[in-house]
Amino acid sequence: MAYVTEDRTPGTIRVATVNLFAHHGDWERRRPTLRESLRTLDADVLALQEAIVDDGYDMAAELLGEGYHVAHQTVGLVGDGRHHGSSVASRWPILAVHEVDLHLTPRTGDYSVGTVLAEVDAPEGRLLVGSHGAS
């Protein structure tokens, strides 16, 4: 059975892409607004950029809340040791994850450029969701 909320037609998928901008800017003011906005958006799948993941902290999981499967970029990460790359979140199970390292020229050497491709087990069939962080 398809995931359906009161305002959706069965068989539709709500998709969003959001650059979370790590903890830059005024994070303490942005955090509750992002959390509320993402939950109100109620997307089935999301392509996220600059979500922090480190030592037990998962920014995407914190902001989205329960009910999402999340795949994070693991290749092509550079910087301070914390993940600031691309992520895919899905209400449905993620069956497989593929990654592409986008460090193609020296110009991208100091930035976490990469693509995460998640195969999602959506009710209507397998769905390929991609998220990338370009320089």
Side-chain angles (χ1 to χ4, degrees):
M1 176 177 231
Y3 178 85
V4 180
T5 60
E6 293 176 15
D7 63 337
R8 284 197 234 175
T9 305
T12 63
I13 298 174
R14 186 170 289 174
V15 179
T17 183
V18 179
N19 185 329
L20 299 175
F21 196 49
H23 285 160
H24 302 298
D26 188 347
W27 171 241
E28 292 309 315
R29 284 189 60 197
R30 289 189 321 106
R31 172 191 260 156
T33 302
L34 266 172
R35 183 182 304 124
E36 181 181 338
S37 297
L38 288 169
R39 293 176 185 191
T40 299
L41 183 62
D42 194 29
D44 297 310
V45 293
L46 296 104
L48 303 170
Q49 298 80 39
E50 296 190 50
I52 294 175
V53 178
D54 70 352
D55 298 329
Y57 175 69
D58 185 329
M59 177 188 257
E62 173 199 350
L63 294 174
L64 292 171
E66 293 186 17
Y68 284 92
H69 304 268
V70 183
H72 298 292
Q73 176 183 346
T74 62
V75 300
L77 297 173
V78 298
D80 61 6
R82 296 189 308 170
H83 176 280
H84 291 103
S86 300
S87 304
V88 170
S90 170
R91 289 193 183 280
W92 306 299
I94 295 175
L95 302 172
V97 177
H98 313 279
E99 297 185 70
V100 179
D101 185 345
L102 296 177
H103 286 105
L104 303 176
T105 69
R107 187 175 65 84
T108 61
D110 64 347
Y111 190 74
S112 294
V113 292
T115 299
V116 175
L117 298 166
E119 294 181 43
V120 173
D121 189 17
E124 288 77 19
R126 190 171 290 207
L127 178 65
L128 184 63
V129 181
S131 178
H132 80 284
S135 66

